[in-house]
Amino acid sequence: MAFGKKCRFTLCFITVCVTLFVLSHTQYDITGLQKLWHDTLDRSLLNRSRTFNNNNNNNNNMALLQQVYEERKELARMECKNMYYDDKTRSLYCAVPKIGSSMWKRLFLVVHKNQTRDPFSKSGLGIHTSRDLKKLSLARIPAKKRPQVVRKAFAFMFSRHPFHRFFSAYCDKVFMLSHETTKLVTFMRNVIREVEVQRQRGRATNDTLKAFVYTGPELNVTFAETLAHAAKSRDFHFVNISTICRPCDIDFQVLGKMDTLDTDSRYILAKLNRSHVMEEAIEGDAFKESRDQSIIRELVERVFEDLLEKPEGTTKFKALARSWKVLHMRGLVKDDIQFPLGAAGTENATASDVIKLGIQAMQASGKPAERLAQREKYYQQAFRSVPLADLLSFRASVLSDCKIFGYDCYPSEIFHGRRDGDEEDNIFSNDKYIYKGLL
């Protein structure tokens, strides 16, 4: 009997290890891996609990359950990768993608080193893999000490209206060519295909069951489809803010907002006795220009980095034209300044060439308020391409974040006057609008 129980435990352990090994050699992202690990462990726990209830040898079962709980703690440790702790200021920052995290990760390093410098002098593309930043990860602190560290830390995080955050994530991570695009879009297209197969049921053929592989940078996935399916991927750019930072469990001293980034950041720096690290106001013209130039550099560098992989079906011209359109969508370059290079002109263009063109176009794009209005136009246009039923489903999925962080989850600019069947055909639903006037 003891030998049988030992075999079952060994078999379960081998299964988990093999699963993790296989997945580590596929294109699943880390959060997808975590979910599968969770599911595997929970099934294991269920089986062990049944044994526990029917077996008098509770000591052995207690040991098995303890093993499960240790594995779950390890999973929780992996989730700490988005939290950073500075022992010099005893501060804890929870980074949420698409809420100023690129800026604050760089700023957090400046705080740690007690420097006075422009945080944008460090690459926004490289900050997420920075060795210096990884050294500040909360996950590096031993698990037994971590709760006490968190309790005593000056903890802060930032939130953003879920609708605006989603729009920003779509523009950068789905619409344009980026290193996240292949995995995320492939996942969503497979989900969409499976939904269609389930709908058609008996009419499904072998062709409709084939796995989709994204070969971008063509749109392939519309804004509406992304709204319906992206969160299922567990990609951190699309999961709820409260899932990432857990404000109901952690006592954050500051719950900052994207809308008040300048005020909130200055307060945080003052509390950390680091006011001197940022002499320019975040909302000041000099800081804004430095930030916007950094965004342009990051977008262009990302495209060139991904073009090195030579993804099938991609042309350099279309990839760069799409990234230029993102500059329009984000309100960095005004609409009437089109991508200045034709198909032939992009062949020998370097990243530095395109970055220079982008910065020049931004500087010629008028007042920031005008560009902000343009961004708002694209934001509303994106949600007008979504059927009302899908809008309401998305609203329900982010309602908890709206309540926790104090946002209107029924914004009038999105829902006013909407009715079934009135969704628009525009750049967020049809590729033909992207290259208009360029091809």
Side-chain angles (χ1 to χ4, degrees):
M1 180 65 71
F3 177 77
K5 287 188 292 185
K6 186 177 294 185
C7 285
R8 286 195 298 273
F9 175 75
T10 302
L11 181 60
C12 177
F13 179 78
I14 291 174
T15 300
V16 172
C17 290
V18 170
T19 301
L20 294 177
F21 175 81
V22 172
L23 286 175
S24 68
H25 289 74
T26 68
Q27 292 186 331
Y28 283 89
D29 63 9
I30 187 67
T31 48
L33 174 60
Q34 290 169 348
K35 182 178 184 301
L36 187 60
W37 193 3
H38 250 318
D39 294 343
T40 303
L41 291 177
D42 283 345
R43 286 195 298 271
S44 173
L45 175 58
L46 179 62
N47 291 333
R48 295 182 212 180
S49 296
R50 288 169 179 162
T51 304
F52 182 89
N53 291 331
N54 297 315
N55 195 312
N56 292 327
N57 191 355
N58 286 346
N59 288 335
N60 288 340
N61 286 293
M62 288 291 286
L64 293 179
L65 292 174
Q66 182 63 35
Q67 176 66 24
V68 171
Y69 301 141
E70 290 297 326
E71 290 167 340
R72 284 181 174 172
K73 282 198 292 186
E74 177 64 16
L75 184 61
R77 185 192 69 79
M78 291 170 65
E79 291 286 355
C80 291
K81 66 189 180 72
N82 65 298
M83 293 190 183
Y84 302 94
Y85 178 72
D86 174 32
D87 58 352
K88 296 178 181 177
T89 58
R90 293 188 178 181
S91 56
L92 178 72
Y93 167 51
C94 183
V96 183
K98 307 313 299 175
I99 311 183
S101 61
S102 293
M103 184 199 86
W104 250 105
K105 283 179 180 180
R106 285 176 279 189
L107 191 54
F108 201 67
L109 275 179
V110 174
V111 166
H112 172 68
K113 296 177 181 180
N114 199 14
Q115 297 172 325
T116 302
R117 59 181 298 187
D118 180 358
F120 297 117
S121 60
K122 187 172 183 62
S123 167
L125 197 61
I127 187 61
H128 303 295
T129 55
S130 165
R131 290 185 179 180
D132 287 342
L133 186 67
K134 287 181 178 179
K135 291 176 182 177
L136 301 181
S137 172
L138 183 66
R140 295 176 70 91
I141 296 176
K144 291 182 179 179
K145 295 182 179 180
R146 207 175 298 141
Q148 184 178 5
V149 167
V150 171
R151 279 196 301 271
K152 292 184 176 181
F154 178 85
F156 64 96
M157 61 167 288
F158 292 87
S159 66
R160 186 179 190 177
H161 196 295
F163 283 70
H164 281 281
R165 178 173 176 250
F166 188 94
F167 171 72
S168 180
Y170 172 82
C171 290
D172 288 0
K173 309 304 176 186
V174 178
F175 184 86
M176 70 172 280
L177 179 65
S178 73
H179 63 279
E180 293 100 340
T181 300
T182 299
K183 291 183 289 185
L184 183 60
V185 174
T186 295
F187 171 87
M188 286 190 289
R189 287 306 301 174
N190 280 325
V191 170
I192 294 165
R193 186 178 296 276
E194 181 61 27
V195 169
E196 181 64 18
V197 168
Q198 291 295 328
R199 189 180 69 80
Q200 295 184 3
R201 295 207 174 239
R203 296 200 302 274
T205 65
N206 288 334
D207 287 338
T208 63
L209 290 169
K210 286 181 180 177
F212 174 91
V213 178
Y214 175 68
T215 57
E218 297 307 319
L219 187 56
N220 279 306
V221 177
T222 67
F223 183 81
E225 289 171 331
T226 307
L227 199 73
H229 301 297
K232 300 171 188 173
S233 70
R234 304 300 296 163
D235 183 293
F236 265 25
H237 295 88
F238 294 96
V239 300
N240 283 7
I241 302 167
S242 54
T243 301
I244 297 173
C245 287
R246 306 189 304 279
C248 296
D249 301 321
I250 297 175
D251 183 20
F252 287 99
Q253 277 69 45
V254 176
L255 293 173
K257 291 192 174 186
M258 193 75 167
D259 305 4
T260 53
L261 186 64
D262 183 31
T263 303
D264 298 335
S265 296
R266 286 186 169 278
Y267 176 81
I268 292 167
L269 292 173
K271 293 294 288 184
L272 300 181
N273 197 27
R274 293 288 193 271
S275 294
H276 60 279
V277 305
M278 186 173 294
E279 296 175 351
E280 295 284 352
I282 292 176
E283 292 303 320
D285 291 341
F287 191 92
K288 276 185 175 180
E289 179 150 349
S290 179
R291 177 201 63 196
D292 292 346
Q293 289 185 12
S294 174
I295 292 172
I296 291 173
R297 283 196 302 271
E298 183 178 345
L299 290 177
V300 175
E301 287 172 355
R302 193 192 312 161
V303 172
F304 273 85
E305 184 178 287
D306 291 316
L307 282 171
L308 292 175
E309 301 296 324
K310 297 181 179 179
E312 184 182 348
T314 298
T315 68
K316 186 177 181 181
F317 167 72
K318 285 190 173 183
L320 289 173
R322 292 182 81 92
S323 66
W324 194 271
K325 198 63 194 176
V326 170
L327 299 184
H328 290 162
M329 293 173 176
R330 295 188 63 163
L332 294 168
V333 173
K334 63 182 181 180
D335 272 335
D336 57 1
I337 301 182
Q338 293 293 319
F339 182 54
L341 300 176
T346 58
E347 286 302 314
N348 297 318
T350 65
S352 296
D353 295 334
V354 180
I355 290 169
K356 184 178 179 180
L357 289 170
I359 292 175
Q360 289 173 346
M362 182 192 73
Q363 292 170 340
S365 291
K367 298 178 180 178
E370 295 173 353
R371 292 191 276 121
L372 187 62
Q374 178 178 293
R375 177 190 174 97
E376 181 67 16
K377 178 197 74 173
Y378 277 108
Y379 163 73
Q380 294 183 27
Q381 195 177 38
F383 283 95
R384 282 201 300 270
S385 72
V386 180
L388 180 59
D390 290 338
L391 272 181
L392 292 172
S393 294
F394 175 72
R395 175 185 179 273
S397 71
V398 298
L399 188 58
S400 60
D401 272 2
C402 288
K403 290 181 177 179
I404 290 171
F405 300 108
Y407 294 107
D408 176 11
C409 226
Y410 202 82
S412 59
E413 69 271 18
I414 301 300
F415 286 97
H416 180 70
R418 288 299 307 267
R419 60 186 185 278
D420 291 332
D422 69 346
E423 58 271 15
E424 287 184 1
D425 177 40
N426 58 39
I427 193 172
F428 294 97
S429 60
N430 196 324
D431 260 352
K432 71 180 182 181
Y433 298 104
I434 298 173
Y435 310 110
K436 189 176 181 180
L438 297 177
L439 294 176

